[in-house]
Amino acid sequence: MAELDTSGGGKKGGKIRSKKASTRIDLTAMVDLAFLLITFFIMATTLAKPKAMDTIWPDKTVKDKQLPVPESRTMTVLLGSNDKLEWFVGEPGKTAPTIDNFGKTGIRKALIENSKKIEATHAGPDNYMIVLVKAGDKAKYKDFVNMLDELGITGIKSYGVVDITPAETAQLKKDNLD
């Protein structure tokens, strides 16, 4: 709402002067409109929902039978300290572990290559690789999340998070990763 104040002007010292119009603008309606718009956009906008990674954990009270899995189809990944990891295919102790890091030239490349080898050597519908992720004492949560991301990127069908054995902990200590 605008008001015009037309006071002023008139005769002064015998001279005739023109009337000067001074303006005063009332911004009350503009402020009301601004707050209504802000309120509308706050209420109408959906806030970004946090993204969580879906993991399924088994019930530890129920003891199910496990089907035997050939050692030649499993790849074990041991998460160590300083963003490093070790991996080996097969039974622990029979094959030498490879020390690696995260990224497309590290564990991702190893996952893709080993998955292709296992699919080529095993016939039948169960020819996919199973990855076992085991975290050492000094592994960080960030490394665990990075490993799950790598498994998702490479499209590994079956993986599990398993407790680390004393022999595997000794292997990490031997390679200065724990």
Side-chain angles (χ1 to χ4, degrees):
M1 306 228 200
E3 293 180 14
L4 291 177
D5 185 11
T6 57
S7 65
K11 287 190 174 183
K12 216 179 208 184
K15 294 183 181 176
I16 299 176
R17 300 192 183 242
S18 64
K19 291 185 178 182
K20 294 183 181 175
S22 66
T23 58
R24 184 178 151 265
I25 300 173
D26 184 15
L27 296 176
T28 306
M30 186 78 82
V31 172
D32 287 345
L33 180 64
F35 278 112
L36 284 172
L37 285 173
I38 289 171
T39 306
F40 171 76
F41 285 117
I42 288 174
M43 298 296 185
T45 305
T46 58
L47 300 175
K49 295 179 182 174
K51 294 180 181 177
M53 189 178 303
D54 292 332
T55 56
I56 299 171
W57 297 91
D59 186 11
K60 291 192 176 202
T61 59
V62 177
K63 299 290 181 185
D64 289 337
K65 286 185 187 178
Q66 288 186 329
L67 298 174
V69 176
E71 301 288 338
S72 60
R73 278 184 46 210
T74 61
M75 178 177 175
T76 305
V77 179
L78 305 174
L79 302 176
S81 60
N82 301 325
D83 297 331
K84 296 286 184 186
L85 56 92
E86 287 186 351
W87 62 267
F88 57 88
V89 177
E91 202 171 329
K94 291 190 176 180
T95 57
T98 304
I99 298 174
D100 223 335
N101 57 4
F102 295 99
K104 63 181 177 183
T105 59
I107 189 66
R108 188 179 309 167
K109 182 178 177 184
L111 286 168
I112 292 170
E113 289 175 356
N114 288 323
S115 180
K116 286 180 182 177
K117 283 180 192 174
I118 289 172
E119 286 177 7
T121 57
H122 290 80
D126 293 336
N127 64 345
Y128 55 88
M129 180 173 67
I130 300 169
V131 178
L132 302 176
V133 179
K134 300 179 179 186
D137 292 336
K138 301 228 175 142
K140 295 181 180 172
Y141 183 72
K142 177 185 85 157
D143 296 336
F144 177 71
V145 171
N146 287 340
M147 187 62 212
L148 291 182
D149 287 342
E150 295 292 342
L151 291 170
I153 290 169
T154 56
I156 299 297
K157 293 179 186 176
S158 181
Y159 60 90
V161 180
V162 191
D163 292 332
I164 193 165
T165 63
E168 291 163 340
T169 304
Q171 179 66 39
L172 284 174
K173 284 183 183 177
K174 180 180 144 190
D175 295 329
N176 294 326
L177 294 179
D178 192 38

